[in-house]
Amino acid sequence: MHTIDLAYAGRGLHEELVAYVADQQGYYEDEGVHVAIRDGIHWKTERLRRGATIGLGRTLLLRLTAGIGWKMLSVNTHRPLFWFLGSADVKSMADLRGRRLAVHAAHTAPGCFARIVLRKHGLDPDRDLQCVVRAPGDYQMDLRRLRDGSIDAAYVGSTLSPEQVVEEEGFHLLAWVGDHFQIPTVGVAVDPTHIPLDSPALQALVRANQRTLRTIAEQPRLAVDYIATFLDRLTRDEVQRYYERYIGPYFTPDGRVDLDIARQAIDAVAAELGVASVAAAADEIYPTAQ
């Protein structure tokens, strides 16, 4: 049996869902590959390069800023699962002006996406509001700080359901990143200097993940069962609505990339980082996900 490490770069079903379903359904075993799913959130770049990774956003930033030739072989979705939540008196993105926003660091993929969306709403993240940088986690501390008033808004990920949070806490859902910025953001990526693209283990991993994407699209009841294990504070009906809003329409059924979206996203990320774009090489960056 072949073996490969697969590292996730963030917590929540956005990063973990496909690999979790593939493992639980036995798809990796069917392909004859042992996939060691690793927590790579705090790994240094050199360690991350030695295995496959789910975090396409992080690998794109590394390609743009460090010139590492990452290849993205499968894409789960083009719509990042991150949201802006406002406190009781922050009811719109415009209300963020002059406020305190808990958010990922600017040099991280989620933080970069947040800044792009803020600019789309006419807000300069360096001048128009106070970005309170914090490390990613399960965002429970953000909710606590929203309650006690030490922050006015938070940029959160898929360890929680934004609709359930705003209903229970009296907060406001300001924006979903996926409605305002699209980018191939989770899937399977490797650095070919460490893992050749024709590696049997890598190809088996990609096939199993693509089979999982078909399962998520074609068996919504099963997908909802698995999503419920991540969002276990939701009722079955709430999980179903989450699937219908964020997963079913937007997770690709085949792992393929939309190159037009990829090129626009690469340009936007490069502009935000202040580096040269590699959008012209999009078909090279996504060689087998097309």
Side-chain angles (χ1 to χ4, degrees), residues 177-259:
V177 167
D179 279 336
H180 302 280
F181 179 58
Q182 297 178 41
I183 184 172
T185 182
V186 282
V188 177
V190 295
D191 176 357
T193 61
H194 290 272
I195 300 180
L197 298 187
D198 61 357
S199 158
L202 174 61
Q203 292 301 317
L205 166 64
V206 170
R207 287 194 301 270
N209 276 27
Q210 290 175 343
R211 181 181 176 187
T212 302
L213 288 166
R214 289 194 299 273
T215 296
I216 290 171
E218 296 170 1
Q219 300 184 49
R221 289 176 62 87
L222 181 64
V224 167
D225 287 341
Y226 282 118
I227 292 169
T229 67
F230 288 90
L231 303 176
D232 57 4
R233 289 182 61 186
L234 301 190
T235 67
R236 178 75 184 194
D237 287 345
E238 289 169 336
V239 177
Q240 180 70 38
R241 289 195 292 273
Y242 188 101
Y243 171 86
E244 293 171 353
R245 174 68 175 98
Y246 301 114
I247 306 298
Y250 301 122
F251 270 56
T252 69
D254 54 12
R256 295 172 68 87
V257 69
D258 185 318
L259 282 177

Side-chain angles (χ1 to χ4, degrees), residues 6-76:
L6 176 64
Y8 55 86
R11 296 187 177 91
L13 63 87
H14 182 227
E15 287 264 345
E16 301 176 69
L17 178 63
V18 171
Y20 180 73
V21 174
D23 177 63
Q24 296 298 307
Q25 289 291 112
Y27 294 165
Y28 294 140
E29 185 177 3
D30 290 348
E31 291 289 347
V33 61
H34 173 75
V35 178
I37 300 173
R38 311 290 298 278
D39 179 351
I41 295 173
H42 300 294
W43 282 6
K44 300 296 185 183
T45 299
E46 286 308 308
R47 185 178 184 187
L48 190 69
R49 294 173 70 182
R50 296 199 293 268
T53 182
I54 297 169
L56 303 191
R58 180 175 176 181
T59 54
L60 175 61
L61 264 65
L62 287 169
R63 183 166 183 130
L64 288 166
T65 59
I68 300 170
W70 292 95
K71 305 287 188 180
M72 287 63 157
L73 305 182
S74 186
V75 173
N76 297 349

